């Protein structure tokens, strides 16, 4: 199970007095996906830029699709990729 799946399950199970805004949840899920991409070794950080490292399939269709969205040069900033 990916970090984004785990985060979604946790957010649905924990009652809160503070509603989560749609943009906040989207950003958290995108950040979780980025963590998974980095752990899978498909991207790395070069300062605040994301660079693809490997196009090897991870076995997770959604994670592989996200990795394919990262281009080569010019590199994309983390902020641009998350939004």
């Amino acid at each position: 199970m990916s970090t984004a799946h785990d985060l979604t399950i946790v957010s649905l199970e924990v009652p809160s007095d503070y509603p989560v805004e749609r943009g906040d949840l989207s950003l958290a899920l995108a950040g979780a996906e980025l963590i998974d991409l980095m752990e899978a070794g498909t991207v790395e950080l070069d300062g605040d830029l994301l660079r693809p490292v490997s196009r090897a399939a991870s076995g997770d269709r959604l994670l592989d699709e996200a990795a394919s969205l990262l281009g080569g040069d010019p590199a994309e900033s983390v902020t641009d990729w998350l939004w």
Side-chain angles (χ1 to χ4, degrees):
M1 186 173 293
S2 70
T3 305
H5 288 119
D6 292 342
L7 181 60
T8 302
I9 290 168
V10 169
S11 69
L12 293 173
E13 291 181 350
V14 178
S16 175
D17 294 333
Y18 305 101
V20 177
E21 298 295 326
R22 172 171 272 151
D24 294 339
L25 184 57
S26 295
L27 183 58
L29 291 172
E33 184 175 47
L34 181 55
I35 290 168
D36 287 343
L37 289 168
M38 292 177 69
E39 286 181 348
T42 56
V43 298
E44 67 180 16
L45 283 176
D46 180 11
D48 67 343
L49 300 176
L50 291 173
R51 298 208 185 268
V53 177
S54 168
R55 295 284 185 197
S58 70
D60 182 323
R61 183 184 61 79
L62 292 175
L63 192 61
D64 292 342
E65 187 175 324
S68 73
L69 296 176
L70 289 169
D73 287 321
E76 191 169 14
S77 74
V78 173
T79 302
D80 289 344
W81 188 83
L82 290 174
W83 288 107

